[in-house]
mmCIF file of all heavy atoms in Angstrom:
data_model
loop_
_atom_site.group_PDB
_atom_site.id
_atom_site.type_symbol
_atom_site.label_atom_id
_atom_site.label_comp_id
_atom_site.label_asym_id
_atom_site.label_seq_id
_atom_site.Cartn_x
_atom_site.Cartn_y
_atom_site.Cartn_z
ATOM 1 N N ALA A 930 0.851 -1.247 0.025
ATOM 2 C CA ALA A 930 0.034 -0.002 0.087
ATOM 3 C C ALA A 930 0.867 1.298 0.067
ATOM 4 O O ALA A 930 1.887 1.274 0.682
ATOM 5 C CB ALA A 930 -0.903 -0.056 1.152
ATOM 6 N N LEU A 931 0.475 2.158 -0.765
ATOM 7 C CA LEU A 931 1.273 3.500 -0.889
ATOM 8 C C LEU A 931 0.907 4.255 0.438
ATOM 9 O O LEU A 931 -0.214 4.222 1.002
ATOM 10 C CB LEU A 931 0.751 4.388 -2.032
ATOM 11 C CG LEU A 931 1.224 3.829 -3.331
ATOM 12 C CD1 LEU A 931 0.602 4.609 -4.530
ATOM 13 C CD2 LEU A 931 2.748 3.874 -3.494
ATOM 14 N N GLY A 932 1.892 4.886 0.952
ATOM 15 C CA GLY A 932 1.688 5.738 2.216
ATOM 16 C C GLY A 932 1.737 4.896 3.440
ATOM 17 O O GLY A 932 1.426 5.451 4.469
ATOM 18 N N THR A 933 2.001 3.640 3.358
ATOM 19 C CA THR A 933 2.136 2.807 4.507
ATOM 20 C C THR A 933 3.508 2.245 4.569
ATOM 21 O O THR A 933 4.100 1.763 3.653
ATOM 22 C CB THR A 933 1.098 1.547 4.288
ATOM 23 O OG1 THR A 933 -0.198 2.117 4.131
ATOM 24 C CG2 THR A 933 1.109 0.729 5.641
ATOM 25 N N CYS A 934 3.912 2.348 5.808
ATOM 26 C CA CYS A 934 5.362 1.709 6.053
ATOM 27 C C CYS A 934 5.092 0.581 7.102
ATOM 28 O O CYS A 934 5.080 0.760 8.227
ATOM 29 C CB CYS A 934 6.399 2.725 6.475
ATOM 30 S SG CYS A 934 5.860 3.984 7.723
ATOM 31 N N HIS A 935 4.967 -0.591 6.508
ATOM 32 C CA HIS A 935 4.857 -1.792 7.251
ATOM 33 C C HIS A 935 5.438 -2.955 6.549
ATOM 34 O O HIS A 935 5.345 -3.025 5.344
ATOM 35 C CB HIS A 935 3.300 -2.018 7.414
ATOM 36 C CG HIS A 935 2.954 -3.279 8.260
ATOM 37 N ND1 HIS A 935 2.729 -4.445 7.586
ATOM 38 C CD2 HIS A 935 2.861 -3.579 9.425
ATOM 39 C CE1 HIS A 935 2.489 -5.471 8.479
ATOM 40 N NE2 HIS A 935 2.678 -4.898 9.640
ATOM 41 N N GLU A 936 6.166 -3.702 7.269
ATOM 42 C CA GLU A 936 6.724 -5.001 6.670
ATOM 43 C C GLU A 936 6.540 -6.095 7.656
ATOM 44 O O GLU A 936 6.384 -5.924 8.854
ATOM 45 C CB GLU A 936 8.204 -4.820 6.363
ATOM 46 C CG GLU A 936 8.465 -3.696 5.369
ATOM 47 C CD GLU A 936 9.906 -3.792 4.931
ATOM 48 O OE1 GLU A 936 10.677 -4.699 5.171
ATOM 49 O OE2 GLU A 936 10.344 -2.861 4.149
ATOM 50 N N ARG A 937 6.569 -7.340 7.150
ATOM 51 C CA ARG A 937 6.318 -8.503 8.016
ATOM 52 C C ARG A 937 7.511 -9.498 7.587
ATOM 53 O O ARG A 937 7.883 -9.755 6.401
ATOM 54 C CB ARG A 937 5.095 -9.145 7.726
ATOM 55 C CG ARG A 937 4.712 -10.324 8.636
ATOM 56 C CD ARG A 937 3.448 -10.806 8.342
ATOM 57 N NE ARG A 937 3.466 -12.162 8.002
ATOM 58 C CZ ARG A 937 2.572 -13.109 8.174
ATOM 59 N NH1 ARG A 937 1.402 -12.639 8.718
ATOM 60 N NH2 ARG A 937 2.665 -14.419 7.882
ATOM 61 N N LEU A 938 8.221 -9.997 8.612
ATOM 62 C CA LEU A 938 9.229 -10.898 8.480
ATOM 63 C C LEU A 938 8.627 -12.282 9.022
ATOM 64 O O LEU A 938 8.094 -12.319 10.155
ATOM 65 C CB LEU A 938 10.483 -10.737 9.255
ATOM 66 C CG LEU A 938 11.108 -9.206 8.950
ATOM 67 C CD1 LEU A 938 12.309 -9.076 9.887
ATOM 68 C CD2 LEU A 938 11.561 -9.155 7.530
ATOM 69 N N SER A 939 8.595 -13.351 8.156
ATOM 70 C CA SER A 939 8.024 -14.574 8.544
ATOM 71 C C SER A 939 8.839 -15.750 8.233
ATOM 72 O O SER A 939 9.453 -15.688 7.199
ATOM 73 C CB SER A 939 6.518 -14.761 8.217
ATOM 74 O OG SER A 939 6.620 -14.765 6.835
ATOM 75 N N GLY A 940 8.862 -16.765 9.006
ATOM 76 C CA GLY A 940 9.505 -18.015 8.738
ATOM 77 C C GLY A 940 9.257 -19.098 9.707
ATOM 78 O O GLY A 940 8.287 -18.999 10.467
ATOM 79 N N ARG A 941 9.976 -20.146 9.681
ATOM 80 C CA ARG A 941 9.781 -21.195 10.573
ATOM 81 C C ARG A 941 11.183 -21.631 11.192
ATOM 82 O O ARG A 941 12.203 -21.401 10.605
ATOM 83 C CB ARG A 941 9.176 -22.396 9.923
ATOM 84 C CG ARG A 941 7.843 -22.003 9.386
ATOM 85 C CD ARG A 941 6.950 -23.124 9.240
ATOM 86 N NE ARG A 941 5.435 -22.804 8.927
ATOM 87 C CZ ARG A 941 4.578 -22.726 9.899
ATOM 88 N NH1 ARG A 941 4.821 -22.849 11.144
ATOM 89 N NH2 ARG A 941 3.378 -22.332 9.574
ATOM 90 N N HIS A 942 11.129 -22.220 12.380
ATOM 91 C CA HIS A 942 12.308 -22.724 13.068
ATOM 92 C C HIS A 942 12.035 -23.883 13.920
ATOM 93 O O HIS A 942 10.825 -24.099 14.321
ATOM 94 C CB HIS A 942 12.783 -21.371 13.998
ATOM 95 C CG HIS A 942 14.141 -21.689 14.486
ATOM 96 N ND1 HIS A 942 15.286 -21.550 13.620
ATOM 97 C CD2 HIS A 942 14.651 -22.001 15.715
ATOM 98 C CE1 HIS A 942 16.373 -21.733 14.391
ATOM 99 N NE2 HIS A 942 15.991 -22.024 15.643
ATOM 100 N N ALA A 943 13.098 -24.587 14.233
ATOM 101 C CA ALA A 943 12.877 -25.817 15.104
ATOM 102 C C ALA A 943 12.175 -25.365 16.386
ATOM 103 O O ALA A 943 12.626 -24.540 17.153
ATOM 104 C CB ALA A 943 14.232 -26.437 15.370
ATOM 105 N N PRO A 944 11.147 -26.066 16.783
ATOM 106 C CA PRO A 944 10.475 -25.760 17.971
ATOM 107 C C PRO A 944 11.296 -25.783 19.296
ATOM 108 O O PRO A 944 11.128 -25.131 20.165
ATOM 109 C CB PRO A 944 9.169 -26.673 18.008
ATOM 110 C CG PRO A 944 9.534 -27.725 17.031
ATOM 111 C CD PRO A 944 10.603 -27.215 16.074
ATOM 112 N N GLU A 945 12.281 -26.772 19.291
ATOM 113 C CA GLU A 945 12.965 -26.887 20.563
ATOM 114 C C GLU A 945 13.944 -25.698 20.780
ATOM 115 O O GLU A 945 14.283 -25.494 21.955
ATOM 116 C CB GLU A 945 13.919 -28.146 20.230
ATOM 117 C CG GLU A 945 13.266 -29.451 20.089
ATOM 118 C CD GLU A 945 12.778 -29.588 18.577
ATOM 119 O OE1 GLU A 945 13.618 -28.984 17.699
ATOM 120 O OE2 GLU A 945 11.871 -30.320 18.321
ATOM 121 N N THR A 946 14.244 -24.857 19.789
ATOM 122 C CA THR A 946 15.296 -23.835 19.993
ATOM 123 C C THR A 946 14.725 -22.532 19.570
ATOM 124 O O THR A 946 15.343 -21.507 19.679
ATOM 125 C CB THR A 946 16.509 -24.079 19.245
ATOM 126 O OG1 THR A 946 16.137 -24.262 17.823
ATOM 127 C CG2 THR A 946 17.254 -25.430 19.729
ATOM 128 N N VAL A 947 13.459 -22.410 19.182
ATOM 129 C CA VAL A 947 12.968 -21.115 18.568
ATOM 130 C C VAL A 947 12.882 -19.948 19.620
ATOM 131 O O VAL A 947 13.287 -18.883 19.378
ATOM 132 C CB VAL A 947 11.614 -21.266 17.984
ATOM 133 C CG1 VAL A 947 10.477 -21.575 18.989
ATOM 134 C CG2 VAL A 947 11.214 -20.025 17.196
ATOM 135 N N ASP A 948 12.481 -20.265 20.968
ATOM 136 C CA ASP A 948 12.403 -19.221 21.963
ATOM 137 C C ASP A 948 13.877 -18.761 22.205
ATOM 138 O O ASP A 948 14.003 -17.577 22.312
ATOM 139 C CB ASP A 948 11.813 -19.757 23.250
ATOM 140 C CG ASP A 948 10.310 -19.822 23.118
ATOM 141 O OD1 ASP A 948 9.674 -19.234 22.115
ATOM 142 O OD2 ASP A 948 9.696 -20.515 23.887
ATOM 143 N N ALA A 949 14.860 -19.628 22.417
ATOM 144 C CA ALA A 949 16.221 -19.238 22.632
ATOM 145 C C ALA A 949 16.797 -18.430 21.604
ATOM 146 O O ALA A 949 17.452 -17.357 21.862
ATOM 147 C CB ALA A 949 17.106 -20.371 23.049
ATOM 148 N N ALA A 950 16.586 -18.834 20.420
ATOM 149 C CA ALA A 950 17.063 -18.149 19.120
ATOM 150 C C ALA A 950 16.379 -16.765 19.044
ATOM 151 O O ALA A 950 17.102 -15.755 18.799
ATOM 152 C CB ALA A 950 16.769 -18.992 17.893
ATOM 153 N N MET A 951 15.155 -16.704 19.294
ATOM 154 C CA MET A 951 14.449 -15.299 19.198
ATOM 155 C C MET A 951 14.949 -14.386 20.294
ATOM 156 O O MET A 951 15.266 -13.213 20.068
ATOM 157 C CB MET A 951 12.956 -15.532 19.267
ATOM 158 C CG MET A 951 12.312 -15.985 18.110
ATOM 159 S SD MET A 951 12.254 -14.709 16.691
ATOM 160 C CE MET A 951 11.140 -13.700 17.398
ATOM 161 N N LYS A 952 15.072 -14.848 21.512
ATOM 162 C CA LYS A 952 15.558 -14.082 22.585
ATOM 163 C C LYS A 952 17.017 -13.677 22.296
ATOM 164 O O LYS A 952 17.351 -12.475 22.573
ATOM 165 C CB LYS A 952 15.486 -14.837 23.889
ATOM 166 C CG LYS A 952 14.111 -15.040 24.375
ATOM 167 C CD LYS A 952 13.957 -15.812 25.663
ATOM 168 C CE LYS A 952 12.533 -16.050 26.102
ATOM 169 N NZ LYS A 952 12.415 -16.914 27.158
ATOM 170 N N ALA A 953 17.913 -14.459 21.799
ATOM 171 C CA ALA A 953 19.264 -14.111 21.351
ATOM 172 C C ALA A 953 19.263 -13.089 20.270
ATOM 173 O O ALA A 953 19.962 -12.115 20.362
ATOM 174 C CB ALA A 953 19.984 -15.406 21.042
ATOM 175 N N ALA A 954 18.383 -13.215 19.285
ATOM 176 C CA ALA A 954 18.231 -12.275 18.225
ATOM 177 C C ALA A 954 17.790 -10.925 18.741
ATOM 178 O O ALA A 954 18.392 -9.818 18.343
ATOM 179 C CB ALA A 954 17.300 -12.707 17.109
ATOM 180 N N LEU A 955 16.823 -10.864 19.632
ATOM 181 C CA LEU A 955 16.313 -9.567 20.154
ATOM 182 C C LEU A 955 17.401 -8.862 21.050
ATOM 183 O O LEU A 955 17.552 -7.728 20.924
ATOM 184 C CB LEU A 955 15.054 -9.829 20.850
ATOM 185 C CG LEU A 955 13.928 -10.304 20.042
ATOM 186 C CD1 LEU A 955 12.682 -10.688 20.944
ATOM 187 C CD2 LEU A 955 13.471 -9.285 19.053
ATOM 188 N N SER A 956 18.124 -9.807 21.771
ATOM 189 C CA SER A 956 19.220 -9.117 22.580
ATOM 190 C C SER A 956 20.344 -8.524 21.721
ATOM 191 O O SER A 956 20.865 -7.518 21.955
ATOM 192 C CB SER A 956 19.879 -10.277 23.410
ATOM 193 O OG SER A 956 20.947 -9.715 24.218
ATOM 194 N N ARG A 957 20.654 -9.304 20.582
ATOM 195 C CA ARG A 957 21.621 -8.845 19.549
ATOM 196 C C ARG A 957 21.133 -7.577 19.006
ATOM 197 O O ARG A 957 21.915 -6.610 18.779
ATOM 198 C CB ARG A 957 21.909 -9.850 18.571
ATOM 199 C CG ARG A 957 22.772 -9.516 17.456
ATOM 200 C CD ARG A 957 22.907 -10.588 16.376
ATOM 201 N NE ARG A 957 23.420 -11.911 16.818
ATOM 202 C CZ ARG A 957 24.675 -12.372 16.894
ATOM 203 N NH1 ARG A 957 25.627 -11.533 16.413
ATOM 204 N NH2 ARG A 957 24.974 -13.455 17.335
ATOM 205 N N ALA A 958 19.935 -7.430 18.674
ATOM 206 C CA ALA A 958 19.332 -6.179 18.044
ATOM 207 C C ALA A 958 19.595 -5.000 19.051
ATOM 208 O O ALA A 958 19.902 -3.983 18.555
ATOM 209 C CB ALA A 958 17.878 -6.419 17.857
ATOM 210 N N ARG A 959 19.354 -5.245 20.314
ATOM 211 C CA ARG A 959 19.612 -4.202 21.327
ATOM 212 C C ARG A 959 21.079 -3.895 21.341
ATOM 213 O O ARG A 959 21.456 -2.656 21.471
ATOM 214 C CB ARG A 959 19.081 -4.552 22.610
ATOM 215 C CG ARG A 959 17.530 -4.562 22.759
ATOM 216 C CD ARG A 959 17.169 -4.956 24.203
ATOM 217 N NE ARG A 959 15.793 -5.378 24.243
ATOM 218 C CZ ARG A 959 15.369 -6.574 24.232
ATOM 219 N NH1 ARG A 959 16.134 -7.653 24.310
ATOM 220 N NH2 ARG A 959 14.067 -6.941 24.322
ATOM 221 N N THR A 960 21.892 -4.816 21.619
ATOM 222 C CA THR A 960 23.169 -4.558 21.990
ATOM 223 C C THR A 960 24.312 -4.204 20.873
ATOM 224 O O THR A 960 25.058 -3.353 21.056
ATOM 225 C CB THR A 960 23.933 -5.788 22.783
ATOM 226 O OG1 THR A 960 23.868 -6.887 21.937
ATOM 227 C CG2 THR A 960 23.262 -6.024 24.012
ATOM 228 N N GLU A 961 23.844 -4.662 19.665
ATOM 229 C CA GLU A 961 24.765 -4.477 18.478
ATOM 230 C C GLU A 961 24.179 -3.566 17.478
ATOM 231 O O GLU A 961 25.000 -3.102 16.634
ATOM 232 C CB GLU A 961 25.136 -5.851 17.864
ATOM 233 C CG GLU A 961 25.924 -6.812 18.845
ATOM 234 C CD GLU A 961 26.227 -8.144 18.163
ATOM 235 O OE1 GLU A 961 26.221 -8.278 16.920
ATOM 236 O OE2 GLU A 961 26.463 -9.148 18.935
ATOM 237 N N HIS A 962 22.888 -3.366 17.405
ATOM 238 C CA HIS A 962 22.298 -2.673 16.389
ATOM 239 C C HIS A 962 21.522 -1.460 16.686
ATOM 240 O O HIS A 962 20.754 -0.882 15.948
ATOM 241 C CB HIS A 962 21.489 -3.567 15.499
ATOM 242 C CG HIS A 962 22.327 -4.704 14.852
ATOM 243 N ND1 HIS A 962 23.046 -4.534 13.711
ATOM 244 C CD2 HIS A 962 22.470 -5.999 15.306
ATOM 245 C CE1 HIS A 962 23.666 -5.556 13.459
ATOM 246 N NE2 HIS A 962 23.302 -6.569 14.343
ATOM 247 N N GLY A 963 21.495 -1.091 17.975
ATOM 248 C CA GLY A 963 20.890 0.117 18.448
ATOM 249 C C GLY A 963 19.316 0.124 18.697
ATOM 250 O O GLY A 963 18.811 1.135 18.876
ATOM 251 N N TRP A 964 18.637 -1.031 18.639
ATOM 252 C CA TRP A 964 17.313 -1.114 18.800
ATOM 253 C C TRP A 964 17.118 -0.978 20.327
ATOM 254 O O TRP A 964 17.856 -1.504 21.197
ATOM 255 C CB TRP A 964 16.682 -2.508 18.500
ATOM 256 C CG TRP A 964 16.550 -2.549 17.019
ATOM 257 C CD1 TRP A 964 17.609 -2.960 16.064
ATOM 258 C CD2 TRP A 964 15.445 -2.298 16.189
ATOM 259 N NE1 TRP A 964 17.032 -2.948 14.820
ATOM 260 C CE2 TRP A 964 15.749 -2.566 14.856
ATOM 261 C CE3 TRP A 964 14.056 -1.899 16.507
ATOM 262 C CZ2 TRP A 964 14.861 -2.363 13.771
ATOM 263 C CZ3 TRP A 964 13.192 -1.721 15.432
ATOM 264 C CH2 TRP A 964 13.567 -1.937 14.093
ATOM 265 N N GLN A 965 16.030 -0.376 20.767
ATOM 266 C CA GLN A 965 15.676 -0.079 22.204
ATOM 267 C C GLN A 965 14.405 -0.884 22.580
ATOM 268 O O GLN A 965 13.492 -1.092 21.708
ATOM 269 C CB GLN A 965 15.405 1.411 22.390
ATOM 270 C CG GLN A 965 16.569 2.257 22.049
ATOM 271 C CD GLN A 965 17.717 2.052 22.920
ATOM 272 O OE1 GLN A 965 17.692 1.995 24.172
ATOM 273 N NE2 GLN A 965 18.991 2.022 22.284
ATOM 274 N N SER A 966 14.259 -1.163 23.777
ATOM 275 C CA SER A 966 13.106 -1.839 24.298
ATOM 276 C C SER A 966 11.867 -0.910 24.058
ATOM 277 O O SER A 966 11.967 0.189 24.448
ATOM 278 C CB SER A 966 13.206 -2.347 25.744
ATOM 279 O OG SER A 966 14.067 -3.256 25.823
ATOM 280 N N GLY A 967 10.759 -1.392 23.603
ATOM 281 C CA GLY A 967 9.564 -0.610 23.412
ATOM 282 C C GLY A 967 8.601 -0.874 24.567
ATOM 283 O O GLY A 967 9.019 -1.533 25.594
ATOM 284 N N PRO A 968 7.371 -0.449 24.294
ATOM 285 C CA PRO A 968 6.321 -0.718 25.360
ATOM 286 C C PRO A 968 6.141 -2.249 25.608
ATOM 287 O O PRO A 968 6.162 -3.007 24.698
ATOM 288 C CB PRO A 968 5.118 -0.006 24.842
ATOM 289 C CG PRO A 968 5.511 0.465 23.471
ATOM 290 C CD PRO A 968 6.875 0.287 23.146
ATOM 291 N N ASP A 969 5.836 -2.578 26.842
ATOM 292 C CA ASP A 969 5.560 -3.926 27.182
ATOM 293 C C ASP A 969 4.174 -4.270 26.679
ATOM 294 O O ASP A 969 3.151 -3.590 26.905
ATOM 295 C CB ASP A 969 5.589 -4.139 28.666
ATOM 296 C CG ASP A 969 5.405 -5.491 29.146
ATOM 297 O OD1 ASP A 969 5.440 -6.382 28.283
ATOM 298 O OD2 ASP A 969 5.208 -5.767 30.364
ATOM 299 N N THR A 970 4.126 -5.331 25.798
ATOM 300 C CA THR A 970 2.870 -5.794 25.144
ATOM 301 C C THR A 970 2.434 -7.101 25.773
ATOM 302 O O THR A 970 1.451 -7.690 25.322
ATOM 303 C CB THR A 970 3.039 -5.861 23.758
ATOM 304 O OG1 THR A 970 4.048 -6.777 23.470
ATOM 305 C CG2 THR A 970 3.248 -4.547 23.107
ATOM 306 N N GLY A 971 3.104 -7.721 26.789
ATOM 307 C CA GLY A 971 2.678 -8.959 27.236
ATOM 308 C C GLY A 971 3.805 -10.014 27.263
ATOM 309 O O GLY A 971 4.892 -9.821 26.608
ATOM 310 N N VAL A 972 3.571 -11.201 27.778
ATOM 311 C CA VAL A 972 4.477 -12.248 27.714
ATOM 312 C C VAL A 972 4.712 -12.864 26.452
ATOM 313 O O VAL A 972 5.938 -13.343 26.133
ATOM 314 C CB VAL A 972 3.932 -13.278 28.741
ATOM 315 C CG1 VAL A 972 4.929 -14.542 28.813
ATOM 316 C CG2 VAL A 972 3.732 -12.816 30.161
ATOM 317 N N GLU A 973 3.755 -12.895 25.531
ATOM 318 C CA GLU A 973 3.897 -13.527 24.277
ATOM 319 C C GLU A 973 4.580 -12.676 23.158
ATOM 320 O O GLU A 973 4.715 -13.176 22.010
ATOM 321 C CB GLU A 973 2.504 -14.035 23.757
ATOM 322 C CG GLU A 973 1.851 -15.009 24.729
ATOM 323 C CD GLU A 973 2.593 -16.366 24.832
ATOM 324 O OE1 GLU A 973 3.186 -16.823 23.866
ATOM 325 O OE2 GLU A 973 2.715 -16.879 25.917
ATOM 326 N N SER A 974 4.898 -11.520 23.445
ATOM 327 C CA SER A 974 5.491 -10.647 22.409
ATOM 328 C C SER A 974 6.526 -9.669 23.014
ATOM 329 O O SER A 974 6.519 -9.347 24.244
ATOM 330 C CB SER A 974 4.455 -9.946 21.607
ATOM 331 O OG SER A 974 3.765 -9.068 22.524
#
């Protein structure tokens, strides 16, 4: 859509390691790439 800035990243990962991999990626985003923690939206996100 024009005038909209929205993107979605989607994929699949091994269920045994997906939570640990996501937490590590989010930590890397904060420490190495300048992303900051945003508003708390709950336990699942």
Side-chain angles (χ1 to χ4, degrees):
L931 291 175
T933 304
C934 45
H935 177 267
E936 294 193 12
R937 182 176 126 154
L938 305 177
S939 61
R941 298 208 169 264
H942 191 73
E945 303 82 27
T946 59
V947 69
D948 283 345
M951 284 290 289
K952 288 176 183 175
L955 297 172
S956 177
R957 181 185 299 264
R959 287 185 198 98
T960 60
E961 297 177 18
H962 299 277
W964 287 84
Q965 303 293 314
S966 294
D969 184 9
T970 57
V972 178
E973 299 295 321
S974 63

